[in-house]
Amino acid sequence: MKFLKFFIVGILFGIVMTKAEIISWYRIYEMFKFQSFHMYGIIGSAVALGMVSMFLFRKNMIKTFEGQEIHVAPKKRGVYRNLLGGILFGLGWALAGACPGPMFVLIGKGVVSILVVILGSILGTFCYGMVKDKIPH
């Protein structure tokens, strides 16, 4: 019962993603072919919201539900690792036709074939967990 609010927010998030056509393979295809601004506008607004949120976190203007301050640890800077990670993420997104959020919305919509993508992402996460201590970060 204590997780009901998260369940409801997840359902609302899924509805918004469906109505905004974020889960549409065709919209993603248009984006990767630079034929439409639709997805870039959504991604850009999400980045802008993230930037504002991080600013407010760092200024201690937003707190958790329990009233505690939110501390964000600084990340290591590096062009190579960010480029490599972005390329891998983009390739996976282009091949699968969905990024991690919409994958679960697609299950709710009844697209059973997305289970292959989800299993692949879980396997990839597991493999990374096994080798993360052996690779440079």
Side-chain angles (χ1 to χ4, degrees):
M1 197 64 173
K2 78 178 197 179
F3 296 113
L4 181 63
K5 60 186 171 189
F6 299 110
F7 185 71
I8 292 170
V9 168
I11 289 173
L12 292 174
F13 185 61
I15 291 169
V16 168
M17 290 178 82
T18 302
K19 293 294 183 182
E21 297 182 359
I22 297 170
I23 64 171
S24 168
W25 182 87
Y26 183 72
R27 285 290 188 186
I28 295 167
Y29 179 73
E30 281 181 328
M31 178 189 68
F32 281 114
K33 290 188 73 173
F34 300 105
Q35 294 177 337
S36 175
F37 182 74
H38 182 82
M39 292 295 284
Y40 291 111
I42 292 170
I43 292 168
S45 63
V47 169
L49 179 64
M51 290 171 62
V52 170
S53 298
M54 291 302 292
F55 174 79
L56 295 174
F57 290 159
R58 290 197 173 122
K59 296 293 181 186
N60 294 323
M61 297 174 83
I62 297 179
K63 300 189 183 310
T64 66
F65 288 116
E66 291 88 26
Q68 299 171 349
E69 291 182 359
I70 298 172
H71 297 283
V72 180
K75 296 188 178 207
K76 293 180 186 176
R77 295 185 182 261
V79 174
Y80 174 75
R81 60 194 210 122
N82 289 334
L83 280 176
L84 182 61
I87 289 169
L88 287 173
F89 183 81
L91 284 173
W93 192 8
L95 290 172
C99 66
M103 289 187 323
F104 296 100
V105 176
L106 287 167
I107 286 177
K109 194 172 179 197
V111 180
V112 180
S113 60
I114 200 72
L115 286 173
V116 174
V117 177
I118 291 174
L119 290 175
S121 64
I122 291 171
L123 178 64
T125 304
F126 177 75
C127 290
Y128 171 74
M130 292 187 65
V131 299
K132 73 176 184 173
D133 295 331
K134 297 173 179 71
I135 59 175
H137 283 89

